[in-house]
Amino acid sequence: MITIELAEKAADAGTVREAPIQAPALQISVFGPLTIRGGAKELTANDLGGPKPRQVLEILLLSFGSAVSKTRIMDLLWDGNHPAVALPTLESYVSVLRRHLQPGAGRTGPLRTVTGGYAIDRSLVELDLDRFETLVKTAGQAEPREALALLTEALDLASAPLLGDELLPAWAEHERALHAQQVGVARVLAAEAALSVGEVGDAIAFSRAAVKEDPLNERAWTVLILGLECNGENTEALRTFDRFRRVMDEELGCAPGAALRDAQARLLTSTAATSGAPDIRGPIHVVKESRSSAPTAAQQEAERLRILIVDDHTTFSDLLAGALDREPDLKSVGAAKSVTSAVEMFHDLQPDVVIMDLHLADGSGLQASERILSEHPEARIVMLTGNPSQDALREAAGLGVCAFLPKDGALGVMLNALRHAHPGNLIVHPSLLARLGSGPSILPGLSA
């Protein structure tokens, strides 16, 4: 919900960067229905002059504090096919927004004009999405107990979907998908923090919610199974392990990792014992090895899979790189935006796996894959797209691409595909086959 609180009088400020520090004029919520509060006045999405002005505001809020060019806004509003009068029409939308959001303040209120575009002055606005992102970022640098409190607050704040009542534009759906991935990451981090400080009930609750949203998130399953073990629920932990094993086998054709296999061995030994084994209580730390055999930091770094991202959308690349670097066994080594740069960076960096967007600025990801695989047939390439054709799937299979995944799919699916990608087989996510309106039988040699 977007809520904007309107101040009776906004202070005059020349640009976003030069605006003086003052109390926020507006309080805006983009979780759930859009709402705006300022002083004693409250606005909803219906009070902003129509769908297009409202979408202009939403686009600026999603780039909170950063300038968005007029060209970018027009491309989003009209899906890349804007009319000849788009520029004056956009400017009229901004004027309408200003009359509603900052009456009497003109260009000196929260909605600022900057060179070539517009921006929201973050010193004059409190935004719940910004608060969520700040809490999650701060938690990443905090001790487990503090991190748990910060992440709990963040997840409570984001309990409703982003832009929950914005149903039509594709860009809103894309932003919701990216945000859902961030929420999923926050849930797993909260579960791990809770487990490490002995809050087993919270760890189980957070991890169950993460597994429900992303059934292929191995980190979430790991915390859930270790939490059940810590809670003395060994039989349920074994059942949970078996459910995850079946999911991994059916969806990705692979097995759980070492940490879960070790947990299974402990649980089998415990449940099979004829005499009472000591009950395992207290905090269980989520680690891959025991202390006696723990690898050094240098060994851990060397064993991480090195991932090259190839995508011409900078925001997506940055978010994905951050997600990779938070994984203990993965790390991003670079980001290319074109066919040419993808091939050059592969030669220079020699990554273990490449995440390749199907559509690039100067051509197709299939072209880049063909050039890479012609020289390095052992290369592992995972292709991303929202709308593949049957021809694209067949060409990918012929080239030796390892997997074809939806770009708007669950983050855990992508991470596990990276871990288990192997040349020789093409795994196609079932949702992509469903979008083609046919099953895997029409694509011989492919597995779903």
Side-chain angles (χ1 to χ4, degrees):
M1 178 198 241
I2 298 179
T3 306
I4 303 176
E5 296 189 358
L6 306 176
E8 295 181 359
K9 184 177 181 181
D12 186 5
T15 64
V16 174
R17 292 186 177 180
E18 297 174 358
I21 297 175
Q22 54 189 286
L26 304 178
Q27 293 178 344
I28 304 180
S29 172
V30 290
F31 293 133
L34 173 61
T35 321
I36 303 163
R37 295 192 184 93
K41 188 174 181 179
E42 179 173 323
L43 302 176
T44 67
N46 296 326
D47 301 320
L48 298 176
K52 292 295 188 188
R54 165 200 178 165
Q55 289 173 21
V56 172
L57 176 62
E58 291 169 341
I59 290 167
L60 295 176
L61 289 171
L62 292 174
S63 296
F64 189 55
S66 299
V68 183
S69 71
K70 294 179 181 180
T71 299
R72 175 62 175 164
I73 297 173
M74 290 187 292
D75 285 344
L76 293 175
L77 286 181
W78 286 282
D79 197 20
N81 188 28
H82 44 76
V85 295
L87 181 57
T89 302
L90 171 60
E91 292 171 345
S92 71
Y93 292 157
V94 172
S95 296
V96 169
L97 278 175
R98 283 180 169 143
R99 286 200 299 271
H100 289 290
L101 300 181
Q102 49 205 54
R107 298 189 176 191
T108 62
L111 203 170
R112 302 288 177 139
T113 298
V114 297
T115 303
Y118 303 101
I120 298 296
D121 186 342
R122 63 187 306 136
S123 70
L124 298 178
V125 174
E126 287 183 1
L127 179 65
D128 57 353
L129 175 60
D130 181 61
R131 175 64 178 164
F132 168 82
E133 292 174 347
T134 299
L135 287 168
V136 174
K137 183 177 180 180
T138 304
Q141 309 298 321
E143 293 298 319
R145 180 73 63 181
E146 181 185 357
L148 177 59
L150 293 169
L151 291 165
T152 300
E153 181 182 349
L155 291 168
D156 288 343
L157 195 62
S159 58
L162 180 69
L163 300 177
D165 59 350
E166 182 59 83
L167 302 178
L168 297 178
W171 60 262
E173 186 58 36
H174 177 68
E175 292 292 343
R176 271 194 291 268
L178 292 177
H179 175 69
Q181 292 178 2
Q182 291 180 310
V183 172
V185 170
R187 283 199 183 103
V188 175
L189 292 174
E192 291 175 343
L195 189 60
S196 70
V197 299
E199 300 291 345
V200 180
D202 288 342
I204 293 173
F206 282 128
S207 56
R208 276 184 171 148
V211 163
K212 182 178 180 180
E213 291 298 322
D214 183 2
L216 292 177
N217 191 320
E218 186 162 357
R219 284 177 65 180
W221 285 98
T222 300
V223 180
L224 177 56
I225 291 166
L226 293 180
L228 291 169
E229 179 187 9
C230 182
N231 213 34
E233 301 177 59
N234 292 352
T235 302
E236 179 60 25
L238 280 171
R239 291 196 190 103
T240 303
F241 175 89
D242 191 55
R243 287 200 301 273
F244 178 54
R245 180 191 58 75
R246 290 198 304 270
V247 168
M248 289 286 284
D249 181 60
E250 293 170 2
E251 295 292 334
L252 295 177
C254 56
L260 283 178
R261 293 197 302 271
D262 290 346
Q264 183 200 29
R266 290 195 307 271
L267 291 164
L268 288 171
T269 301
S270 175
T271 55
T274 55
S275 59
D279 195 12
I280 303 176
R281 300 284 179 177
I284 293 182
H285 298 279
V286 184
V287 294
K288 291 214 174 231
E289 304 289 344
S290 65
R291 290 182 180 273
S292 61
S293 60
T296 65
Q299 289 174 325
Q300 289 178 324
E301 184 66 19
E303 292 171 358
R304 297 176 75 180
L305 282 177
R306 303 168 67 255
I307 315 295
L308 172 63
I309 302 170
V310 183
D311 195 293
D312 57 358
H313 294 87
T314 303
T315 300
F316 178 82
S317 295
D318 290 346
L319 287 171
L320 181 55
L324 292 173
D325 291 340
R326 285 190 291 270
E327 297 295 312
D329 57 338
L330 306 174
K331 69 175 179 179
S332 62
V333 295
K337 296 184 178 182
S338 65
V339 172
T340 301
S341 61
V343 176
E344 292 176 350
M345 292 185 72
F346 184 90
H347 289 159
D348 293 340
L349 299 172
Q350 294 293 303
D352 298 306
V353 187
V354 179
I355 301 175
M356 181 80 70
D357 193 8
L358 178 60
H359 303 290
L360 299 174
D362 61 341
S364 166
L366 292 171
Q367 295 173 323
S369 299
E370 181 178 21
R371 292 173 59 181
I372 291 171
L373 290 165
S374 65
E375 298 183 23
H376 303 275
E378 76 288 353
R380 292 184 281 176
I381 298 178
V382 173
M383 191 78 67
L384 302 181
T385 185
N387 188 26
S389 66
Q390 294 180 16
D391 290 341
L393 292 178
R394 289 193 180 95
E395 184 177 351
L399 291 174
V401 170
C402 294
F404 230 120
L405 303 179
K407 192 170 183 178
D408 58 354
L411 177 62
V413 174
M414 185 188 305
L415 297 180
N416 282 307
L418 296 175
R419 294 182 175 104
H420 303 291
H422 295 290
N425 291 316
L426 174 58
I427 297 175
V428 182
H429 194 274
S431 67
L432 295 181
L433 293 175
R435 294 175 198 181
L436 292 173
S438 54
S441 59
I442 67 164
L443 295 166
L446 305 188
S447 57

